[in-house]
Amino acid sequence: MCGIICYVGKQPALPVLLEGLKRLEYRGYDSSGIALLEDEQIRRFRAVGKIRELETGLIEWTSDAKTGIGHTRWATHGKPCVENAHPHSDCAGEIFVIHNGIIENYLALKQELITAGHRFLSETDTEVVAHLIEEACREHADLEEAVTRALARVRGTFGLAVLSTRHANSIIIARRSSPMILGISDSGTFAASDVSALVAHTKQVVYLQDDDLAVLTPDGYRITNLHAPAEVNRQEQTVDWDVDAAEKQGFEHFMLKEIHEQPEAVRNAMRGRLVPSEGISVLGGLAGVREQFLRMEQLILVSCGTSFYAAMLGRYILEFCTDFRVEVDVASEFRYRRLNLRDNTVVLAISQSGETADTLAAIREAKRKGALVLGLVNVVGSNIARETDAGIYNHAGPEIGVASTKAFVSQLTILYLLTLYLARHQHMSVTDGQEFIRELESIPDKIEQILAKSAQIQQVARRYAQFRDFMYIGRKFNYPIALEGALKLKEISYLHAEAYAAGEMKHGPIALINPDFPSVCLATQDSTYDKMMANIQEIKARCGRTIVVGTEGDAQLPALCDDFIGVPASSELFAPLLTVIPLQLLAYYIALENGCEIDQPRNLAKSVTVE
Ligand code: G6P
């Protein structure tokens, strides 16, 4: 997804922008660009591909400019090419714009501007903003006023920055439904779409709110509103992420580092939220809506991608432990249904980034229909966090790898906390609550034991890396994990992976089984063990290879399957927190064997802010 970094201050801007753009790489992008303001002139450079392409192109550049803007683009309107990369400029080359989001009415505006004599050089929606500002400047000499007027004509979402020769030593920033954060330091003023682009320079930040317009200067900033010229105050905050948290810390990839951070992610999700003596969980973020929440007649979990599989498991565990009626829906489909929500419906949106456009659209629809809307979000201050009535934060720290791992395990952990929260208000006894907490608290150590087997899992991955097709099967609590395991493999190694509820095998997918189509089977010792065993036999009978994730010490499976990966014993309710770990590692090592670009897989984005 697109990323923005801006700087105006006392240092040369170019290195600041390049460094910031590198920190934004994890969001997924296909091209990048910068513009620098120096001696009343703006110089721009753009490149397709990685930031290193941009750097290579800039090798000959020397610049003392102390004001500049930088952008990573993830194509939405027009293919990835230099012409479509940001910054985009007006006809005169005096106004340069970088933009995250989508201008929905750009075609009509573009037509109008072309009729008025403007010349367009890209296929993007963003370019209309530069020309709209140019047009507005004809009537209003003041750039700030022109930006305000231009944005009044725009329908859609934007986090944007404007650099102009008309406004020396300053940058104008505006946002609507797309994050923008200001960074304040002695060496200058920054703006970025993501706090990770700022933390190397400053921890003092200001989260802009919708329709804020900020003017950055070397000594600070001034914020007004797009609808009212009066200055507004936004609280400065200190971020608790440091640069280290956003770096790989010795791991070859962010994804591997994040897989290894999972014991900590589980602990962080639980921290301060369990009362073992009473067998309860305390979720402070829900305190304000507690009565309404407990009165609910229906709970709907909405989310996308990996977060959707967390929701699927959420339904299993909530239904298992409580009497609530629970539904799940893919956020992008939610709005297409003729939603006949019961009274007292609660919709819980699950989103790592808190910015996923489909999930945002789903919660807006749910609100319109009168539901209480809650969020389970990792990114503090994100759109979903702000638009929900109440919620729970993951506290999982930044997740940089595009393929979600620790955020998923953190989401699951919080869904267990939520289950306990609700179940203890129904029939779950204090002793069962205490046992629930004991099981949950034992998970981080058990994950560590599985991580200690990474070398064995890497060996298995080496044996299977040349296969092109995989089947993943599981039942009950392990079914969503089979789906998630297959998604991990698809995302980072581009291999074909199908996931099925194991009972569905016989209804079609079994036709695919042959020696070149291995199956990954989740068969922990639980209530579905015998049936999983039968599925594994069926695969073996058709000469299919099997990798089985089962319970350590299993006496039968290692002899039956081709490769066995054991996880520590647990009750079946909690097994998913363990069985997912070998599947993440398997996907990681298969991708590594195949030389894939693990942290930024092709075509994928970390934060998908388009519908
Ligand atoms: C993208 C990411 C996935 C993620 C999904 C939902 O597709 O690549 O890893 O699961 O979005 O994201 P969210 O931030 O809402 O959890």
Side-chain angles (χ1 to χ4, degrees), residues 95-154:
I95 299 162
F96 286 74
V97 177
I98 54 178
H99 163 232
N100 291 359
I102 285 184
I103 309 298
E104 285 169 8
N105 56 339
Y106 85 103
L107 271 179
L109 292 171
K110 187 168 178 175
Q111 205 45 58
E112 179 191 315
L113 288 158
I114 288 172
T115 309
H118 290 264
R119 216 163 46 88
F120 279 78
L121 300 174
S122 81
E123 304 160 280
T124 66
D125 52 339
T126 302
E127 194 180 354
V128 299
V129 179
H131 292 279
L132 277 177
I133 299 172
E134 181 179 34
E135 191 67 19
C137 277
R138 291 194 180 140
E139 291 162 36
H140 308 275
D142 177 44
L143 183 70
E144 214 177 309
E145 174 69 16
V147 171
T148 305
R149 298 233 167 200
L151 292 178
R153 307 255 359 248
V154 154

Side-chain angles (χ1 to χ4, degrees), residues 58 93 111 137 174 188 262 274 309 317 330 386 448 456 541:
L58 286 167
Q111 205 45 58
C137 277
Q262 292 182 116
L274 290 170
Y309 296 141
I317 60 180
V330 172
R386 286 188 293 108
E448 262 154 26
Q456 183 215 334

Side-chain angles (χ1 to χ4, degrees), residues 26 194-196 199 203 239-243 245-246 378-380 397-399:
Y26 77 92
D194 189 317
V195 85
S196 59
V199 282
K203 294 196 173 158
V239 288
D240 55 6
W241 295 5
D242 53 20
V243 176
N378 191 29
V379 179
V380 176
E399 186 176 68

Side-chain angles (χ1 to χ4, degrees), residues 289-306:
V289 296
R290 182 187 145 92
E291 299 312 319
Q292 203 183 342
F293 188 34
L294 295 175
R295 269 201 318 272
M296 77 181 156
E297 288 173 38
Q298 181 184 29
L299 174 64
I300 308 177
L301 311 176
V302 292
S303 44
C304 303
T306 288

Side-chain angles (χ1 to χ4, degrees), residues 298-597:
Q298 181 184 29
L299 174 64
I300 308 177
L301 311 176
V302 292
S303 44
C304 303
T306 288
S307 299
F308 176 66
Y309 296 141
M312 279 183 74
L313 182 67
R315 177 174 63 182
Y316 275 97
I317 60 180
L318 281 157
E319 282 178 348
F320 191 78
C321 299
T322 76
D323 296 328
F324 288 105
R325 184 182 286 272
V326 187
E327 269 189 55
V328 287
D329 215 341
V330 172
S332 57
E333 286 297 314
F334 184 70
R335 82 185 73 166
Y336 300 132
R337 294 173 54 201
R338 187 168 165 268
L339 291 168
N340 183 5
L341 301 185
R342 292 160 176 263
D343 288 346
N344 298 329
T345 292
V346 176
V347 170
L348 172 67
I350 306 178
S351 173
Q352 185 284 129
S353 62
E355 301 296 346
T356 304
D358 286 320
T359 310
L360 261 175
I363 63 175
R364 286 174 185 157
E365 192 57 30
K367 271 193 170 176
R368 203 170 292 129
K369 301 243 175 341
L372 172 70
V373 178
L374 308 178
L376 165 47
V377 168
N378 191 29
V379 179
V380 176
S382 57
N383 268 317
I384 294 175
R386 286 188 293 108
E387 288 200 22
T388 41
D389 298 308
I392 314 163
Y393 281 121
N394 289 94
H395 302 312
E399 186 176 68
I400 308 287
V402 167
S404 183
T405 52
K406 70 171 179 175
F408 176 70
V409 162
S410 168
Q411 287 165 343
L412 296 188
T413 306
I414 289 178
L415 287 166
Y416 283 97
L417 299 183
L418 190 69
T419 300
L420 180 65
Y421 182 88
L422 293 171
R424 287 285 284 120
H425 283 280
Q426 293 188 325
H427 52 262
M428 186 187 272
S429 67
V430 64
T431 45
D432 285 349
Q434 287 167 334
E435 181 53 27
F436 192 103
I437 292 177
R438 261 195 298 280
E439 282 265 13
L440 199 53
E441 286 187 327
S442 73
I443 294 295
D445 289 350
K446 290 178 182 170
I447 296 178
E448 262 154 26
Q449 290 167 37
I450 302 168
L451 294 173
K453 294 185 176 182
S454 293
Q456 183 215 334
I457 298 168
Q458 185 166 16
Q459 290 301 326
V460 176
R462 285 200 177 118
R463 285 198 284 280
Y464 289 85
Q466 82 280 11
F467 291 100
R468 301 294 99 179
D469 306 287
F470 289 80
M471 180 85 76
Y472 282 68
I473 55 169
R475 285 172 186 261
K476 200 173 176 182
F477 302 118
N478 274 327
Y479 168 43
I481 300 304
L483 291 161
E484 171 59 7
L487 180 65
K488 287 287 90 71
L489 190 69
K490 283 182 260 206
E491 283 179 313
I492 59 169
S493 61
Y494 320 136
L495 296 174
H496 167 223
E498 305 227 12
Y500 272 92
E504 279 291 288
M505 275 272 298
K506 56 187 174 290
H507 299 296
I510 199 162
L512 296 169
I513 298 300
N514 67 41
D516 294 326
F517 204 135
S519 298
V520 180
C521 313
L522 299 176
T524 39
Q525 285 169 351
D526 56 30
S527 59
T528 68
Y529 180 75
D530 292 342
K531 288 206 164 60
M532 283 306 302
M533 182 75 97
N535 289 129
I536 295 164
Q537 302 271 18
E538 285 157 12
I539 296 168
K540 292 309 300 172
R542 284 152 186 87
C543 301
R545 292 171 212 260
T546 49
I547 305 169
V548 172
V549 176
T551 306
E552 267 168 14
D554 189 298
Q556 304 177 68
L557 282 171
L560 177 64
C561 65
D562 296 280
D563 287 279
F564 181 81
I565 304 167
V567 299
S570 74
S571 82
E572 67 172 343
L573 185 63
F574 295 92
L577 286 165
L578 305 177
T579 50
V580 71
I581 312 294
L583 301 194
Q584 295 167 340
L585 286 166
L586 190 67
Y588 173 80
Y589 286 119
I590 288 177
L592 191 69
E593 282 297 311
N594 284 309
C596 299
E597 190 132 6

